[in-house]
Amino acid sequence: MSKGPISQFIEKNFLHFNAAALVDAAKGYETHLTEGGKMLVALAGAMSTAELGISLAEMIRAGKVDIISCTGANLEEDVMNLVAHSHYKRVPHYRDLTPQQEWELLEGHYNRVTDTCIPEEEAFRRLQKHLEDVWHAAESKGERYFPHEYLYQVVKSGVLEQYYEIDPKNSWILAAAERNLPIICPGWEDS
């Protein structure tokens, strides 16, 4: 199997210490998959806000991920990025914000995740109504689902397509929903 430019670069230049450990880990992952092994990916922190979907969605579609354990924040933030990307606000000086500046962001309906603010109306509220619809439908039927299954119902229904602001191929939740990938979400805020 020929290696792509990133793999070639890493093998040539990542020769010592933690860099070499990355090469070893990548080779181990490749061997694991080649031998038919299954892969669990664990996500914590603001990975979805950082647009992990660009690479993770492709891995899911290629069958290189079989189960995910993640925070609820990562579940919802991937969908929020899908429907509100152009409304996100970058705050490169986030370490230097005063309490007043933090308050002004909050009052402006921006929810800060490190250096990025998620817009409340375009992200949270767009998603909220559709989530509430599937929650109420399940409740009326006496059905219960895992958090990711509710999101799968929403994204599979197509109701959010009118809001898509990124290429859907870069949403890991869409990719996971397509494969009906199991997701463990031990806690909505922390995993």
Side-chain angles (χ1 to χ4, degrees), residues 1 16 26 29 41 45 57 66 72 82 84 119 123 129 157 169 172 179:
M1 173 192 226
H16 305 287
Y29 179 44
V41 170
D66 299 287
L82 180 66
K129 181 212 179 302
S157 76
K169 76 176 175 116
W172 72 263
R179 287 196 52 217

Side-chain angles (χ1 to χ4, degrees), residues 89-109:
K89 181 177 190 169
R90 179 114 195 287
V91 185
H93 60 285
Y94 73 95
R95 289 181 182 93
D96 302 319
L97 294 174
T98 66
Q100 180 61 37
Q101 290 169 318
E102 291 277 14
W103 179 252
E104 289 167 4
L105 287 171
L106 188 60
E107 285 291 299
H109 302 281

Side-chain angles (χ1 to χ4, degrees), residues 52-69:
L52 179 71
I54 293 169
S55 55
L56 183 56
E58 185 176 335
M59 292 174 66
I60 291 169
R61 287 188 182 99
K64 295 180 179 180
V65 176
D66 299 287
I67 185 170
I68 294 174
S69 176

